[in-house]
Amino acid sequence: MELQERQVRRRLEEDFESHIDLSDYQQHSESEQAKARTTRALAALTVAARAMVSVDEACASVVDESNDQGIDAIGISAARREVYVVQTKTSVGGPSPTEVMKFVHGIRCLLDWDWDALGPKARRRRGEIEEVLADARVIAIFSYLGAQGPNEDASRLSNQLTEDVNAAGDILEFHYEGLRENFERRNIASGLSSPDSELTFDRWITMSDYRSEIMGIVSGEQLATLTEQFSELLFDKNIRAILRSTETNEVLDETLRDSPSDFWYYNNGITIVANSIGCSRTNPRSSNETFSLKGLSVVNGAQTCGALSRAFRSNLPLDDVHVTVRVISTAEHPEDFEKQVTRYTNTQNQVSNREFVALDPYQQELSDLLLAEKVQYSFRTGQALDDEEYDFAFDLEEATRALSCWSGVANATRAKREIGRMWADLSASPYLELFPRDLNAAIMYNSVRFWRSFRDSYNSAGREREHRAKNIVKNSEFMASALFMQWARGNAAEFTNIDWDVAAFMAGCTDQVRVLAECVVARHERENPGGFAMSFFKNQQKVETFARAVRADFLQELQSSSGTS
């Protein structure tokens, strides 16, 4: 055994193996248990090194079991918007074509949401994984302890997978990480404690003493580097969910890309809590001063850090990006001080694009018109819907989705990808395309009812199909709704009639909805075979072209079936 392998195995045993769950191996021999423990420990090491999560969290990401389709762990970095799908091998030699083939099949099952093909451990995390996959990059890693790389046949399999999945957009990477890579990161467990780092402030002030708190200006590049270095360790567990895709993320990304020098003006900054704040000088300078932060944690501003990290990895220049940073020391504060700061900095003064819609007087006019018909339209955040008092109730978000489909495939695709952007500018498109000054309140009301009914019928047609087709149907529902609304408007749909019986209309369209679902799946499999539906149906240019072809297929099928009958 090479010394490198010996030292990696020692670290696996001492740092990870005691945290590995082997409850499903109780009936196996000790040697088989030992082998499984090491294999799972290597998977956990890979996740810990990639996602920068604790040993316990990395070990909890392990999904290795019989019938796991070659997937031994699924790790998540919300900060980087990455999902790590890992297969491991601890025996001598490089990845064989058979092993890679199984792993490739497992990845395809995961991306197609074929949960029945995966093991119970992966299925138990279905909700969490599907949510993240909707807006994440997938990093597939074959991790092993051999010194040699994959042979030509194995590489061909992984290259073909990458080519197929990335046909509609670059969302998958495939890496082989052997003994050298694992040796280099073997000591990762010792670096998974609370981060310590230094920040240089261009300018700063304090309320009393710099050792208690600092507020000042920090370069965006420093924060991007900090996020890249520590990833999940940088953020309080209570706010990691904030790092999911939101309208705020999209606006941050756009500002960093298009007007980086304006970032400071538009951004609220971040709040850091640290165990202590130090400086090498007794009397720190008022500008260009470096402070050492022990045990730091970002408790507000996770989205900002995530956006800076994404810009950094996209090689966007951050020279002109600056951020207001507030650092608070927990020294001499109560034990729960950090939790209180986390709680209140994430619940106070949070304003999004949606809140500004309340400033549009036409929204109130639409609401008043529907109220007289016993229909509740809530466009203000925090206003509860009351289905008991009103005949029908819906909110701004649902109206925006429905009207996006009413206005056409382009806006439907935008709404699927980034609904918050639909409200970004109340004086311009796409907002005014959805809510023009002459919008008939009955159209909005009926569009929402149509949207609800169509989705139920369309997804019901999808559930009748196998897993990949079901996934395609689910991810195409915005585009399909736009196409079906267009078809319905030419086939006796009465969107302008407040008394229109939408339910009855849709009940008579079951066959047409099923035909549309079949056309979408068939066309997708011709144009994006083996591709990832989640990514495909967010690509506006591809979807608009695709929708025109689907519409032609759909009308031809309807004409054919009508002629047959």
Side-chain angles (χ1 to χ4, degrees):
M1 180 186 296
E2 291 189 19
L3 284 178
Q4 287 187 336
E5 180 184 349
R6 172 190 173 96
Q7 291 174 26
V8 172
R9 288 182 181 273
R10 181 185 302 149
R11 292 271 55 85
L12 292 176
E13 179 181 0
E14 295 181 5
D15 297 338
F16 289 90
E17 291 190 10
S18 62
H19 302 269
I20 293 296
D21 177 20
L22 281 182
S23 58
D24 57 327
Y25 257 74
Q26 295 306 307
Q27 305 305 316
H28 292 69
S29 67
E30 288 189 15
S31 62
E32 290 175 320
Q33 289 186 38
K35 181 180 178 181
R37 189 181 293 110
T38 302
T39 297
R40 295 176 182 184
L42 180 57
L45 168 68
T46 304
V47 170
R50 282 284 189 159
M52 292 299 291
V53 294
S54 69
V55 169
D56 284 338
E57 199 168 339
C59 291
S61 74
V62 173
V63 295
D64 172 56
E65 59 189 328
S66 59
N67 298 319
D68 60 18
Q69 301 301 327
I71 297 178
D72 294 328
I74 303 173
I76 295 170
S77 170
R80 293 173 176 161
R81 288 198 204 172
E82 292 180 345
V83 176
Y84 310 104
V85 186
V86 181
Q87 182 181 24
T88 55
K89 174 181 179 178
T90 56
S91 57
V92 177
S96 70
T98 301
E99 292 165 331
V100 174
M101 182 182 297
K102 184 177 181 181
F103 188 34
V104 164
H105 175 68
I107 294 168
R108 290 188 184 277
C109 290
L110 181 69
L111 298 186
D112 287 335
W113 295 5
D114 187 358
W115 295 100
D116 290 343
L118 301 175
K121 291 181 181 179
R123 288 200 295 271
R124 284 196 289 270
R125 298 177 59 197
R126 175 176 181 172
E128 170 199 12
I129 294 169
E130 283 188 359
E131 180 185 1
V132 179
L133 281 176
D135 189 50
R137 188 169 184 80
V138 178
I139 314 295
I141 306 163
F142 196 119
S143 183
Y144 58 104
L145 296 184
Q148 63 193 71
N151 62 28
E152 186 176 334
D153 290 335
S155 295
R156 187 181 300 112
L157 289 167
S158 53
N159 289 340
Q160 185 62 57
L161 170 72
T162 305
E163 182 180 330
D164 290 345
V165 173
N166 290 340
D170 189 13
I171 62 167
L172 174 71
E173 297 176 17
F174 197 111
H175 299 279
Y176 293 97
E177 298 179 349
L179 180 59
R180 180 175 60 83
E181 289 84 1
N182 283 301
F183 178 75
E184 289 176 352
R185 63 190 178 205
R186 67 194 185 285
N187 294 316
I188 185 64
S190 62
L192 296 175
S193 57
S194 297
D196 298 336
S197 189
E198 292 184 339
L199 281 182
T200 299
F201 285 73
D202 293 346
R203 295 176 181 84
W204 65 277
I205 60 172
T206 181
M207 294 285 288
S208 56
D209 186 311
Y210 75 86
R211 286 163 292 202
S212 177
E213 72 280 321
I214 303 170
M215 185 171 73
I217 309 300
V218 173
S219 68
E221 186 171 0
Q222 283 189 84
L223 296 174
T225 303
L226 194 68
T227 307
E228 284 294 290
Q229 180 181 359
F230 294 113
S231 189
E232 304 297 278
L233 292 177
L234 192 60
F235 306 105
D236 187 285
K237 288 184 179 180
N238 295 322
I239 65 167
R240 285 191 190 169
I242 294 173
L243 291 159
R244 300 285 187 253
S245 178
T246 67
E247 61 179 87
T248 304
N249 287 333
E250 303 295 344
V251 173
L252 289 170
D253 291 344
E254 180 179 329
T255 303
L256 288 168
R257 182 178 63 249
D258 299 336
S259 52
S261 60
D262 293 331
F263 192 80
W264 183 82
Y265 297 102
Y266 301 161
N267 187 263
N268 290 330
I270 71 172
T271 299
I272 293 174
V273 171
N275 294 336
S276 67
I277 305 171
C279 184
S280 60
R281 290 183 176 84
T282 305
N283 296 306
R285 297 172 301 196
S286 61
S287 62
N288 195 32
E289 186 57 275
T290 300
F291 294 92
S292 60
L293 311 179
K294 300 292 186 182
L296 68 93
S297 176
V298 173
V299 298
N300 181 261
Q303 291 170 329
T304 296
C305 290
L308 289 166
S309 174
R310 290 192 295 276
F312 182 82
R313 279 182 281 121
S314 298
N315 295 317
L316 292 178
L318 298 176
D319 299 344
D320 296 330
V321 177
H322 294 86
V323 181
T324 300
V325 175
R326 182 172 59 149
V327 183
I328 303 171
S329 171
T330 59
E332 300 183 9
H333 283 287
E335 187 176 341
D336 66 344
F337 178 71
E338 181 175 347
K339 291 182 180 179
Q340 295 301 319
V341 173
T342 302
R343 174 187 175 189
Y344 289 114
T345 55
N346 284 286
T347 55
Q348 296 184 12
N349 301 320
Q350 296 293 312
V351 180
S352 65
N353 289 341
R354 175 173 177 161
E355 271 67 46
F356 291 108
V357 175
L359 300 177
D360 181 2
Y362 194 58
Q363 292 288 340
Q364 186 64 58
E365 184 177 329
L366 291 168
S367 179
D368 291 342
L369 285 169
L370 292 174
L371 199 61
E373 302 293 332
K374 295 212 70 177
V375 174
Q376 181 191 18
Y377 168 49
S378 170
F379 62 92
R380 290 188 175 88
T381 300
Q383 182 181 3
L385 297 179
D386 191 340
D387 291 307
E388 294 184 4
E389 181 177 350
Y390 300 97
D391 294 340
F392 191 83
F394 62 100
D395 63 10
L396 172 66
E397 190 167 314
E398 193 169 21
T400 300
R401 289 194 170 99
L403 289 171
S404 294
C405 294
W406 164 267
S407 69
V409 169
N411 278 331
T413 306
R414 290 191 188 103
K416 172 181 172 60
R417 179 178 175 83
E418 44 187 358
I419 189 170
R421 295 296 305 281
M422 313 306 280
W423 312 309
D425 187 345
L426 305 189
S427 63
S429 296
Y431 179 78
L432 288 182
E433 293 180 47
L434 308 189
F435 299 98
R437 303 303 89 171
D438 60 350
L439 175 62
N440 186 329
I443 289 178
M444 180 171 70
Y445 165 59
N446 285 324
S447 293
V448 171
R449 293 197 295 157
F450 189 98
W451 159 254
R452 288 187 186 180
S453 183
F454 173 79
R455 287 180 71 201
D456 288 344
S457 182
Y458 187 67
N459 285 308
S460 177
R463 284 191 291 272
E464 298 172 0
R465 306 179 66 87
E466 52 87 22
H467 297 286
R468 179 171 169 82
K470 186 190 303 182
N471 186 16
I472 294 168
V473 169
K474 177 63 180 174
N475 280 282
S476 65
E477 63 183 7
F478 279 78
M479 180 210 70
S481 180
L483 288 177
F484 206 74
M485 278 192 184
Q486 183 182 20
W487 174 83
R489 289 161 70 175
N491 286 272
E494 302 176 58
F495 282 91
T496 59
N497 178 8
I498 196 75
D499 296 316
W500 177 38
D501 191 342
V502 176
F505 179 87
M506 288 302 298
C509 294
T510 303
D511 289 341
Q512 289 89 337
V513 172
R514 178 183 49 77
V515 169
L516 179 58
E518 291 172 352
C519 289
V520 169
V521 172
R523 174 63 63 173
H524 180 274
E525 296 302 71
R526 286 198 296 273
E527 297 191 6
N528 191 34
F532 192 13
M534 276 181 171
S535 172
F536 183 85
F537 288 105
K538 287 182 181 178
N539 187 315
Q540 187 171 336
Q541 184 176 357
K542 287 182 178 291
V543 170
E544 288 188 57
T545 302
F546 179 82
R548 287 193 290 271
V550 169
R551 183 175 184 274
D553 295 343
F554 175 59
L555 294 177
Q556 184 175 351
E557 285 295 323
L558 292 184
Q559 185 177 12
S560 176
S561 60
S562 176
T564 302
S565 59

